[in-house]
Amino acid sequence: MIASRTPVSLHNFLVAGGRGKRCVAGGGGRKRGRVQRRHLTQALESLWRHSPRPAPPAAAARGEANRSWQPPPLENPAFEEYYKEQRIVREEEWDDFISVLRKPLPATFRINARIFAQSSRMTSRDIWRVSDEYGEDAIRPLPWYPGNLAWHLNFSRKQLRKNQALESFHEFLKHESEVGNITRQEAVSMVPPLLLNIQPDHHILDMCAAPGSKTFQLLEMIHQSKEPGLLPRALVVANDVNAQRCDLLIHNMKRMCTANLIVTNHEAQNFPDCRLANDLSEIYKKDCKPQRLEFDRVLCDVPCSGDGTIRKGHDMWRKWNSGMGNGLHLLQVDISMRGIALLKVGGRMVYSTCSMNPIENEAVIAELLQRSGNSIELLDVSNELPELVHRPGLSTWKVQDKGSWFQNHEDVPRDRKNVILPSMFPSNKSNQEGQSVCDDIEVNTDGISNSNTTKHSDSAPNITGSNFPLHRCMRIVPHDQDSGAFFIAVLHKLSPLHEGQMVEVTKTEVLDDDESLEEQKKISIDDHTLEDSNLTEVTLVSDVKIDQAESENRMNKLQDPCKWKGVDPVLFFRDLTVMRSIVSFFGINISFPLEGHLVTRSADTDNARRIYYVSKSVQEILQLNVEVGEQLKIASLGLKMFERHRSKDGCPCLYRLSYEGLPLLLPYISKRILCASPNDFLRLLQYRTVNFAHFIDARFGEEAASLIPGCCVVILREGHQNLDLGSITMDPTTIAIVCWRGKATVNAMVSPPDRKELLERIAHRFGIKALRVEEDENPRRQD
């Protein structure tokens, strides 16, 4: 199998300290490299150890023209009053806490674990050279992230964009992110997937997934340990309520090239379970197909007010008000309860927000425990990431409404009781054995005890405290590890919910007189992931309702292309003639199953433009979805494997290979394979179209000319030895691309970003200067 897109550009940049390229051999190249590194080191030192760098002339001129403009003040008296009253940090810490909130958030990124496992492994020494080149502590690993795969930079995203001295590093990060080698993601956003404890056979639901940084992280986990040509048994269903955000999610997931993903478009609180059996005891039987959708793991990263992202979204200082959290509380409860209902017994659900508000955090968890009775328990996972500094959850808090504070629901005015709900207050109705917490409990969490709980009880004895063990929740505060703020709770399902608890969540919405729920939802889109992808805010919209009455009439029938308005149908591709033609043309081994694993989004399957490959686990869900009348609104799924071509060159096969699907299929292909020398392989990547006569290796040009027109695979040949195709295609470090043998040319069917990444990877492997991607350049000019 070919290697996934190996992060050698990352390796080069960290080793050479330049633009992702190794310095050219020779004294002049080394000298230029040292000069570039010294300049960048000086810039970083200027940024972080001394005063800010002077503005360039153009910026100074703009400043003169806009002298009257002033940045918005980073303050909000209501914000400070609210969180002082809630005592989310100790009184003696407040100044440090608020001071860090006003500082820019350092940028962080994560190396793709799947790539890291399949490539020549980078050592910590390689990465630590960045610190040597660019200044002390310029870059460091996040100590709590496994395998040194996540990294913290001592400059913000804005500084990366605006500072000319950091331009090369910024361009490097953008390129590596574009080709899937890294994911630019806030540090605290990386925590929830780690606490899911993913196993190789797990079915995982990401309920509010867009734009997808956590979804990408989950996919990395399930793919990390697989052998070449094999798919994991696990799958991820990534859902979002908004169709536009689903499109963004799909775009971001293309970098992973996976057949184990389904993207759906539903309201999370009404996510369908696709149930065939009415009796819960009949849901799963040994050696039987599933009778409803259930998941081993659920990630419930709910819409929230997002004030934990205030360090990177300074407009939050102006927008913030306490009604934002109050207005989202019930939606968060409803989404979480649906997640618990979809969770298998013995499964784990992680609830998370990028909010500091206890109404969105501990109050939601207390309500889940209250509603679920003994069916779920709140886990203590403080030892699972021992180097992650975090605080225990709060057990006491107050509710604010229109400037007034309330300690219990009885004190709320009658005309506000439909806005301020009982579930927002601390509950003392713990009916779970073993889940009550003593008043004097001391929780040791990375050296930080539950002093918040004790302080509440001592200084405010009239405030009712929760009897649920909310100290098991995790609060991440910015000044502990120079991060954003975050809240996480891990729930374990002990037994099925009762029928009363299984009732479908109704669309009850809490409206504030001052601010409509719709306005609150606009702010609630998870800012910590939006910023990760440089996105703009998108308003949440309601999903299309499913007509459940149709499901009985749709049993065991093919999909109706008009089931979901505006969404292409998902149809199994069953044209055996086309499949046999593809198998014969490329010599695909029968051990690679095609029948039952190919789907198309075209209603006219006889002329399907694209054919996608799905894993066995995805196939089973698709079959279940057909049987229940397509309750799932599927926006995307599978790995693009074949594309219909329009060439008139006389190719007998109607479809060509897709570069995205080549890593999975290559170990099973025995025909249409060419082996190119490094020079000719680079030539194809650089120019895309090369005439047979222009290849340096005349034999390669002759072999290409001897093929009948059509799609082929070109493998990079290392050295001059004859290759054993059987072994080379199974080697995860093999580099191969999809090409088209035309009338007199070979054309690389690879996108410009992927060609650039491959050029840099090969340049690193052979110790040569990386070439530039040349579009519309005639290779004859280079002869």
Side-chain angles (χ1 to χ4, degrees):
M1 185 178 115
I2 75 168
S4 295
R5 297 159 180 164
T6 312
V8 288
S9 298
L10 176 63
H11 180 276
N12 296 348
F13 190 92
L14 298 173
V15 173
R19 297 177 178 267
K21 302 176 183 178
R22 184 179 294 275
C23 295
V24 182
R30 288 192 295 269
K31 182 177 180 180
R32 286 193 297 273
R34 287 195 297 269
V35 171
Q36 291 173 352
R37 294 192 291 269
R38 184 169 66 252
H39 287 171
L40 192 49
T41 301
Q42 292 169 350
L44 287 171
E45 290 175 349
S46 177
L47 279 170
W48 292 100
R49 299 179 184 178
H50 307 290
S51 59
R53 294 175 61 85
R62 289 194 299 270
E64 289 291 335
N66 298 284
R67 189 181 295 273
S68 60
W69 181 86
Q70 294 293 330
L74 303 183
E75 59 184 24
N76 184 325
F79 175 89
E80 296 192 38
E81 177 206 352
Y82 185 84
Y83 283 117
K84 278 185 178 179
E85 190 71 23
Q86 300 289 19
R87 298 184 178 92
I88 62 170
V89 297
R90 295 185 293 268
E91 185 176 351
E92 58 268 25
E93 294 181 86
W94 180 261
D95 289 343
D96 292 337
F97 167 72
I98 204 71
S99 175
V100 171
L101 286 185
R102 293 190 173 107
K103 294 179 180 178
L105 181 70
T108 50
F109 66 89
R110 193 185 71 253
I111 301 172
N112 187 332
R114 181 184 182 185
I115 290 171
F116 191 83
Q118 293 181 351
S119 66
S120 55
R121 298 180 65 86
M122 294 180 299
T123 64
S124 297
R125 181 190 63 185
D126 294 329
I127 300 182
W128 277 106
R129 291 181 184 176
V130 177
S131 296
D132 297 335
E133 302 293 347
Y134 305 140
E136 184 180 357
D137 295 331
I139 182 172
R140 56 181 172 83
L142 293 173
W144 46 266
Y145 200 96
N148 278 355
L149 292 176
W151 292 81
H152 174 282
L153 307 173
N154 269 354
F155 31 87
S156 68
R157 294 179 69 110
K158 183 176 180 181
Q159 287 167 322
L160 282 172
R161 292 193 303 268
K162 301 295 185 181
N163 193 295
Q164 292 182 351
L166 299 173
E167 181 181 1
S168 65
F169 189 57
H170 185 224
E171 290 300 318
F172 150 75
L173 288 175
K174 290 196 300 183
H175 172 68
E176 296 297 317
S177 177
E178 184 178 8
V179 298
N181 290 342
I182 68 171
T183 298
R184 301 167 70 187
Q185 181 180 1
E186 187 177 343
V188 291
S189 173
M190 304 176 193
V191 176
L194 295 177
L195 295 176
L196 280 171
N197 189 23
I198 302 296
Q199 300 301 314
D201 60 343
H202 278 170
H203 288 201
I204 308 155
L205 172 64
D206 190 350
M207 300 190 75
C208 308
S213 57
K214 296 184 187 68
T215 308
F216 201 90
Q217 195 175 352
L218 294 171
L219 290 169
E220 290 176 19
M221 293 175 178
I222 69 172
H223 280 284
Q224 188 172 353
S225 60
K226 297 311 297 178
E227 296 296 325
L230 298 179
L231 289 174
R233 178 70 182 133
L235 70 86
V236 175
V237 175
N239 177 73
D240 202 87
V241 65
N242 184 274
Q244 290 178 316
R245 284 166 58 81
C246 279
D247 291 340
L248 178 63
L249 174 64
I250 294 165
H251 173 76
N252 290 335
M253 292 307 104
K254 284 182 179 179
R255 299 177 299 146
M256 176 53 70
C257 298
T258 179
N260 298 66
L261 172 69
I262 301 176
V263 177
T264 60
N265 179 206
H266 289 282
E267 290 181 326
Q269 68 271 31
N270 293 318
F271 193 90
D273 62 5
C274 299
R275 183 186 302 191
L276 279 176
N278 292 322
D279 185 356
L280 291 179
S281 64
E282 298 293 322
I283 293 299
Y284 273 89
K285 288 184 177 180
K286 187 176 181 180
D287 299 327
C288 290
K289 63 183 181 181
Q291 299 296 296
R292 64 166 292 211
L293 270 183
E294 280 191 316
F295 297 91
D296 303 279
R297 297 290 187 264
V298 174
L299 178 57
C300 192
D301 189 55
V302 296
C304 65
S305 61
D307 58 20
T309 68
I310 200 167
R311 294 184 66 184
K312 64 185 178 186
H314 288 167
D315 200 39
M316 181 62 69
W317 288 100
R318 178 183 60 84
K319 290 181 178 180
W320 188 91
N321 66 76
S322 61
M324 292 162 56
N326 294 346
L328 288 164
H329 168 82
L330 186 58
L331 175 65
Q332 292 161 341
V333 172
D334 287 347
I335 291 174
S336 305
M337 282 302 299
R338 189 57 182 160
I340 293 171
L342 293 166
L343 187 64
K344 290 181 182 179
V345 173
R348 177 181 285 199
M349 184 177 89
V350 171
Y351 174 90
S352 62
T353 75
C354 55
S355 169
M356 297 180 280
N357 196 336
I359 309 303
E360 302 178 75
N361 296 332
E362 287 88 353
V364 172
I365 298 303
E367 178 66 7
L368 298 181
L369 295 171
Q370 178 69 31
R371 290 191 187 187
S372 302
N374 293 320
S375 294
I376 63 170
E377 64 173 337
L378 181 60
L379 297 180
D380 181 358
V381 293
S382 57
N383 293 326
E384 294 192 12
L385 296 174
E387 295 190 72
L388 175 66
V389 179
H390 57 276
R391 313 288 183 95
L394 305 178
S395 64
T396 60
W397 60 89
K398 300 178 183 179
V399 180
Q400 188 184 60
D401 179 51
K402 289 185 172 295
S404 299
W405 288 96
F406 302 101
Q407 298 178 4
N408 55 69
H409 192 253
E410 289 74 18
D411 297 335
V412 178
R414 179 174 297 180
D415 64 338
R416 301 299 295 169
K417 286 184 181 292
N418 67 322
V419 175
I420 305 303
L421 306 176
S423 59
M424 296 179 181
F425 294 87
S427 172
N428 60 357
K429 300 178 181 179
S430 175
N431 55 9
Q432 294 178 292
E433 295 183 7
Q435 293 234 6
S436 61
V437 56
C438 301
D439 293 336
D440 59 351
I441 190 169
E442 191 73 13
V443 183
N444 184 6
T445 312
D446 293 316
I448 300 175
S449 65
N450 194 4
S451 56
N452 289 324
T453 302
T454 305
K455 191 165 187 176
H456 278 249
S457 300
D458 294 342
S459 60
N462 294 327
I463 300 177
T464 302
S466 175
N467 284 342
F468 291 111
L470 299 179
H471 65 276
R472 298 178 185 173
C473 301
M474 299 173 63
R475 277 184 166 266
I476 300 175
V477 293
H479 61 292
D480 279 342
Q481 286 185 310
D482 197 11
S483 67
F486 217 72
F487 175 87
I488 303 162
V490 182
L491 299 164
H492 176 231
K493 190 168 183 179
L494 301 171
S495 62
L497 296 177
H498 303 303
E499 282 301 321
Q501 299 164 336
M502 291 285 288
V503 174
E504 186 174 353
V505 178
T506 58
K507 291 186 179 180
T508 53
E509 296 182 344
V510 181
L511 298 177
D512 194 314
D513 296 345
D514 297 332
E515 184 178 24
S516 70
L517 182 65
E518 189 63 28
E519 288 300 314
Q520 295 165 14
K521 285 182 177 180
K522 290 180 183 180
I523 302 173
S524 72
I525 299 176
D526 199 348
D527 286 345
H528 64 272
T529 51
L530 280 177
E531 183 69 14
D532 291 334
S533 297
N534 294 322
L535 307 177
T536 56
E537 202 165 66
V538 185
T539 307
L540 292 172
V541 297
S542 297
D543 192 10
V544 183
K545 292 184 178 180
I546 302 174
D547 185 0
Q548 300 288 351
E550 292 183 4
S551 61
E552 295 182 1
N553 299 325
R554 301 290 300 151
M555 298 288 285
N556 298 316
K557 294 183 179 180
L558 293 176
Q559 299 97 313
D560 180 0
C562 301
K563 174 64 180 182
W564 295 102
K565 184 178 180 180
V567 176
D568 292 330
V570 178
L571 302 172
F572 282 103
F573 187 83
R574 306 184 188 277
D575 192 327
L576 294 179
T577 301
V578 171
M579 279 190 271
R580 292 190 187 107
S581 171
I582 293 173
V583 168
S584 174
F585 190 71
F586 294 104
I588 300 175
N589 194 292
I590 60 173
S591 62
F592 186 80
L594 289 182
E595 189 173 356
H597 289 267
L598 299 181
V599 299
T600 180
R601 306 305 302 269
S602 173
D604 182 8
T605 57
D606 292 335
N607 296 288
R609 184 177 176 185
R610 299 181 183 90
I611 301 175
Y612 300 85
Y613 191 88
V614 298
S615 67
K616 178 66 174 177
S617 50
V618 171
Q619 177 200 50
E620 291 174 351
I621 288 183
L622 290 181
Q623 290 173 336
L624 174 64
N625 191 44
V626 171
E627 293 178 356
V628 297
E630 289 187 272
Q631 293 180 21
L632 282 180
K633 183 181 180 182
I634 297 175
S636 176
L637 80 168
L639 177 63
K640 186 167 64 175
M641 187 70 74
F642 306 110
E643 294 186 84
R644 194 179 184 95
H645 65 80
R646 300 178 180 177
S647 172
K648 298 180 180 179
D649 292 339
C651 177
C653 183
L654 295 176
Y655 288 85
R656 68 173 181 87
L657 301 175
S658 166
Y659 179 63
E660 296 175 18
L662 185 59
L664 179 63
L665 189 59
L666 183 60
Y668 303 93
I669 296 177
S670 60
K671 296 180 181 179
R672 309 286 300 176
I673 296 178
L674 298 172
C675 296
S677 66
N679 286 332
D680 284 330
F681 199 90
L682 289 171
R683 199 174 187 81
L684 270 171
L685 292 174
Q686 184 178 14
Y687 299 114
R688 185 175 180 269
T689 300
V690 180
N691 192 285
F692 297 151
H694 294 159
F695 286 109
I696 298 172
D697 183 354
R699 179 181 296 181
F700 177 78
E702 292 170 359
E703 290 176 352
S706 68
L707 291 177
I708 62 173
C711 182
C712 62
V713 176
V714 176
I715 293 177
L716 172 63
R717 184 181 74 237
E718 299 189 42
H720 300 284
Q721 73 279 12
N722 293 325
L723 295 177
D724 175 12
L725 288 181
S727 61
I728 198 67
T729 56
M730 290 297 294
D731 185 350
T733 65
T734 296
I735 298 177
I737 58 175
V738 174
C739 292
W740 183 267
R741 190 279 197 196
K743 292 181 179 179
T745 60
V746 177
N747 304 281
M749 312 296 287
V750 185
S751 69
D754 286 328
R755 286 160 57 199
K756 178 183 177 183
E757 193 270 342
L758 286 170
L759 283 169
E760 292 179 350
R761 190 196 316 180
I762 296 168
H764 165 68
R765 181 176 293 190
F766 292 98
I768 60 177
K769 182 179 178 180
L771 302 173
R772 294 175 56 188
V773 171
E774 301 285 352
E775 295 291 346
D776 302 322
E777 180 76 15
N778 191 329
R780 290 184 181 180
R781 301 175 188 174
Q782 304 298 320
D783 287 345

